[in-house]
Amino acid sequence: MPLDDNKENRFAAELDEYGSDTMSEINIVGRIILNIWRMMRNEVNLMNYTFENVGFHVLHQRFPLFTFRVLSDWFDNKADVYRWKMVDHYVSRVHGNLQLLRKLDLIDRTSEMARLFGIQFLHVLTRGSQYRVESMMLRVAKPMNYIPVTPSIQQRAQMKAPQCVPLIMEPESRFYSNAVLVLDFQSLYPSIVIAYNYCFSTCLGPVENLGKYDAFKFGCTSLRVPPDLLYQIRHDITVSPSGVAFVKPSVRKGVLPRMLEEILKTRIMVKQSMKAYKHDKAISRMLEARQLGLKYIANFTYGYTAANFSGRMPCIELGDSIVHKARETLERAIKLVNDTKKWGAHVVYGDTDSMFVLLKGATKEQSFKIGQEIAEAVTATNPKPVKLKFEKVYLPCVLQTKKRYVGYMYETLDQKDPVFDAKGIETVRRDSCPAVSKILECSIKLLFETRDISQIKQYVQNQCMKLLEGKASIQDFIFAKEYRGSSAYKPGSCVPALEITRRMLAYDRRSEPRVGERVPYVIVYGMPGLPLIQLVRRPAEVLQDPSLRLNATYYITKQILPPLARVFSLIGIDVFSWYHELPRIQKTASTARSELEGRKGTISQYFTTLHCPVCDELTQYGICTKCRSQPQHVAVILNQEIRELERKQDQLVKICKNCTGCFDRQIPCVSLNCPVLFKLSRVSRELSKAPYLRQLLDQF
């Protein structure tokens, strides 16, 4: 039965709302519909999550992508071979989806977590961390005759605001050629809950309220501690640094400490079992999922106690006590390291539960020895199970700002080759284009390995010249930003993902991206003074239109150089001056040119002034006078150039035909995640000047 307009609109709105942040846009009662695309967003970090890109990075296999127009034409074709190609395309994608599930062990791992947390399979995928913590906490609390508080939204809103924040030091930003140790407290917040018996059930409230006969505000509710009871347990009370009193385990063992103790002990047992069953793949996978689930729960527990905005049962007194004690523990560790003269160490950065320790003049062997000594000394000053673990040595490294650093990492003493390890900088971020990440990573590696700024300068200038001359691959300059849904943007928003979507919808009303989908785009040259939002284009448009060129000036000055400057300014290098030293290159292809002018001839697309195709000298006669005196040389060079381009094109077409299974001359694949598509487009564009070169040859 067809839906009336109102019902249809309401149904579409409900579908949108359901699909925007849960597992699937399709809801069938009694069935769990797995949206593998949404699951992959949590499993792998990629620039975009198209089936072809995920398939390549997870399965290491290329999948072709055809437009709906091509697939429809194949299906409508009377020849059976074309109809079979359409069926085969969809069968291969279904098979690929099943391979993804199998490769990442998603079904078994989710089942194991559901069993571990005591929640439904679907809720593991769709519900948040608080739901998992509460499920486990209530299982521990029920035999102890506890029930959870259920505050209203108003009660939660009236609760006091948090007063304590974790210790995050401002790092001593510079390039460190000496060894920097990284030490990390193992499960710091869970360890503090266990060590000091912090829990909802053991908290007596702020010290200033103790001894009063009246009830006082406590978390979202109120609490009353009788003075005579307080007098009886006066010797079994600990006070947190934030001034909140808790009873010791001898009076009452808290629910959270009991739960976390069991979790951490079980995780150690599971890890030991993994070593025993490492040859049995099925059991090993199951145990890996189990230990991962236990790790998540242990780390989520603090968040449950302090979630004052969206929490189910927040308690600021408890949350503040955990954070303040963790802060005090880290501060004591930093003081111990700085005050112990025999190590000659200095803490240059601290972040929540970790610290970076500089050892001037120490070798790699000495660094590992001192790191182990520091870990043991700090662990000895804290109650069990609070433990400082020596993680790794950076040699050398760059500390940029809070939560942004990069270095060559050594995790064991016998490790010969270091591992490039970066946190928070553009090499691991996804809000820029791949070229930025590649250039920055290569420049930092050159700095670490050679310490030669001239080599880095030459490399960066070469990359800039490639882009200015139009020789760089478009694939490396594609941005991919998440689309938040048409209703999530303010009227008149200038957001590239929204702008591209509007153009797609003008062409096809059903082509709107899903909420959270990454929309690819590039920035091209345009008329002077045009706003940036009008220079946004889909990569497919740039491939199809020879007059569109990547905006090299924008990419170099706004994307590539700023991250480089943030790193190299720490050693006094002005990266922007490298760009200003480059010669200015002017190409003809411009979006300002009219369509008629673009059709004038192939030569006008490639040369502003006429250059000799043999020696590249300026000339008004096609081939310069000097080369005309050597006709045989000209014939060999031009024939070689044409033949080389044709050979490249044939090779790339063969690769495409083998991948797509299509043996027509025209390759219908439009996958932007395949580098062959961009290489083929570039070679075809260069080959379009072959008629002009043959015309010159005919003159001889």
Side-chain angles (χ1 to χ4, degrees), residues 183-252:
L183 298 108
D184 203 343
F185 281 99
Q186 197 170 325
S187 304
L188 181 59
Y189 286 176
S191 299
I192 280 171
V193 169
I194 297 166
Y196 298 100
N197 201 35
Y198 289 170
C199 180
F200 300 100
S201 61
T202 62
C203 187
L204 298 172
V207 173
E208 65 265 20
N209 293 330
L210 296 181
K212 295 179 181 177
Y213 285 93
D214 299 328
F216 53 85
K217 198 159 183 59
F218 174 69
C220 294
T221 58
S222 60
L223 182 67
R224 181 178 172 273
V225 182
D228 52 342
L229 174 64
L230 191 65
Y231 182 78
Q232 288 176 27
I233 59 170
R234 65 189 183 282
H235 299 302
D236 295 308
I237 293 175
T238 58
V239 180
S240 75
S242 56
V244 179
F246 294 85
V247 296
K248 291 181 179 176
S250 55
V251 177
R252 176 189 285 170

Side-chain angles (χ1 to χ4, degrees), residues 167 185 324 326-336:
L167 174 64
F185 281 99
H324 212 144
R327 187 185 176 107
E328 183 195 73
T329 304
L330 183 59
E331 284 171 347
R332 274 194 285 110
I334 291 169
K335 189 174 187 305
L336 177 67

Side-chain angles (χ1 to χ4, degrees), residues 523-698:
I523 306 294
V524 298
Y525 277 115
M527 291 280 285
L530 270 181
L532 192 66
I533 195 69
Q534 292 186 27
L535 304 180
V536 171
R537 295 287 185 277
R538 292 169 62 198
E541 290 179 58
V542 181
L543 291 176
Q544 291 163 6
D545 187 350
S547 67
L548 293 176
R549 285 192 307 119
L550 292 178
N551 193 328
T553 309
Y554 169 79
Y555 278 103
I556 293 169
T557 58
K558 302 294 183 186
Q559 296 295 327
I560 294 170
L561 295 182
L564 283 168
R566 284 193 281 274
V567 172
F568 289 98
S569 62
L570 298 175
I571 52 176
I573 305 297
D574 181 10
V575 176
F576 285 92
S577 66
W578 298 349
Y579 170 62
H580 296 314
E581 290 172 15
L582 293 175
R584 289 291 167 264
I585 294 167
Q586 179 63 43
K587 287 277 182 180
T588 55
S590 168
T591 48
R593 174 175 297 155
S594 68
E595 192 177 348
L596 182 67
E597 196 178 343
R599 288 178 186 161
K600 278 185 180 175
T602 315
I603 184 64
S604 65
Q605 296 174 13
Y606 290 90
F607 305 100
T608 39
T609 49
L610 288 175
H611 285 256
C612 172
V614 181
C615 65
D616 209 33
E617 289 293 324
L618 287 172
T619 178
Q620 296 297 319
Y621 308 106
I623 292 172
C624 67
T625 313
K626 183 183 173 184
C627 292
R628 282 177 181 275
S629 62
Q630 301 172 304
Q632 290 180 337
H633 176 68
V634 170
V636 169
I637 294 294
L638 295 185
N639 274 314
Q640 269 184 348
E641 190 175 341
I642 295 168
R643 196 161 57 247
E644 182 62 24
L645 289 172
E646 287 175 342
R647 186 184 64 80
K648 277 184 186 175
Q649 189 183 46
D650 286 344
Q651 283 181 335
L652 293 169
V653 167
K654 278 180 188 175
I655 293 169
C656 275
K657 284 181 176 178
N658 286 333
C659 177
T660 59
C662 302
F663 294 96
D664 304 335
R665 182 65 190 169
Q666 188 66 34
I667 303 296
C669 177
V670 290
S671 173
L672 292 174
N673 302 295
C674 180
V676 177
L677 177 74
F678 295 92
K679 288 177 183 176
L680 190 58
S681 169
R682 190 170 157 196
V683 168
S684 301
R685 199 176 284 191
E686 287 179 1
L687 201 57
S688 62
K689 65 180 178 183
Y692 169 70
L693 296 178
R694 287 199 177 97
Q695 187 184 329
L696 292 177
L697 275 171
D698 291 343

Side-chain angles (χ1 to χ4, degrees), residues 184-198 260-261 264 268 321-322 325-333 352-355 374-390:
D184 203 343
F185 281 99
Q186 197 170 325
S187 304
L188 181 59
Y189 286 176
S191 299
I192 280 171
V193 169
I194 297 166
Y196 298 100
N197 201 35
Y198 289 170
L260 289 169
E261 211 166 351
L264 295 181
I268 291 167
S321 296
I322 296 169
K325 198 68 188 178
R327 187 185 176 107
E328 183 195 73
T329 304
L330 183 59
E331 284 171 347
R332 274 194 285 110
T352 312
D353 62 348
S354 61
M355 57 182 180
I374 292 173
E376 288 167 7
V378 172
T379 302
T381 62
N382 288 292
K384 286 185 178 181
V386 180
K387 183 183 179 183
L388 185 69
K389 198 176 175 186
F390 174 45

